[in-house]
Amino acid sequence: EIKSVREFTKQKVDFNLVNKILIDLDNLEKINDLPMEYVTIEDGKQFAKDYDGKIGYYGKLIVAPSYILVFGEDYDAARINAGYNLEWVRFSLFDAGVGSCWISPMAGVNYTELFDRKDGSVLLGCIAIGEEYTGIFKKNTDEQSQRKGVAEFVYKDSWKNEITWEELESLGLDGVFYLTKMAPSWGNCQPWAFVIENGLLKLYINKAGQNDYTLEAGIISLYFMKAAESKGLRIKVSLYEGPKEIKDSYECLVIFSM
């Protein structure tokens, strides 16, 4: 699990490290090959001053030494890719001792105009990065809400047919899903569900309400792949490209071949 850091020191970020990680993204086995542009912000203080109230959880922009923004086309597939790729960047930063957290784009904001994107691209995602503040004046910003149990979001063969822990163990996926449930999401809402069906694992994302959780599909997909890798499993991930599948308000967006 990567802890989300919401309080940072003023220590500058090593951008030689950041740029190397972004270059290494080329070697990542991605969900798709849609073009992405990564924009690094070194002056986090000025960025926070300029954009507070326009980006972030209910408009609250967490102040950090630096930020990474990703722009691309206004498609679900692009948002999934952005979530997947930036979560990989977060893992890489974590391994190097650099903290980070997701900064959510807000519904109803025209980021193409706000960031003067001449190519018409939109803001797909953003992370704050820097050294975690651990001093005596640190606020308690840890997430308090309980995460769902694995059986609450993993089904077998059909929608809402909850799988047992014993069945997950027999598939070698018990430890994988135990780690996967730690993935971050907007407001810790965990807007996902998985269905194991005919040797495939389908990922569904809640599409109800005003918040767009498509980015979370990419985030949890990367978490699942990392968890599977840690357990010695080789799994392929790709976009779901079949006929639209919607169960209740959940839409199938990603599939994993096991």
Side-chain angles (χ1 to χ4, degrees), residues 203-258:
L203 169 62
Y204 291 77
I205 293 292
N206 191 351
K207 302 284 277 187
Q210 65 176 0
N211 293 313
D212 186 347
Y213 297 125
T214 313
L215 187 78
E216 273 80 353
I219 294 171
I220 195 168
S221 292
L222 192 281
Y223 244 79
F224 180 84
M225 294 295 285
K226 281 283 190 180
E229 180 184 313
S230 74
K231 300 300 180 182
L233 300 178
R234 178 63 178 167
I235 293 177
K236 292 282 189 179
V237 60
S238 61
L239 291 177
Y240 173 75
E241 296 180 340
K244 181 170 284 193
E245 277 193 30
I246 298 178
K247 310 291 187 181
D248 298 333
S249 59
Y250 287 70
E251 182 177 348
C252 184
L253 296 178
V254 176
I255 59 172
F256 303 88
S257 302
M258 298 184 290

Side-chain angles (χ1 to χ4, degrees), residues 4-56:
S4 292
V5 175
R6 295 180 177 84
E7 286 188 82
F8 298 89
T9 69
K10 296 180 180 180
Q11 178 67 39
K12 290 186 177 180
V13 174
D14 179 0
F15 267 82
N16 288 326
L17 169 68
V18 173
N19 291 329
K20 181 182 183 303
I21 289 172
L22 291 176
I23 290 171
D24 287 346
L25 260 178
D26 290 338
N27 300 320
L28 177 66
E29 185 177 339
K30 301 178 181 64
I31 291 182
N32 63 63
D33 294 321
L34 288 173
M36 304 271 136
E37 182 183 352
Y38 299 89
V39 176
T40 54
I41 306 295
E42 295 194 37
D43 188 350
K45 183 177 180 181
Q46 186 61 49
F47 182 83
K49 180 179 178 181
D50 292 342
Y51 295 104
D52 188 35
K54 302 169 186 175
I55 180 174

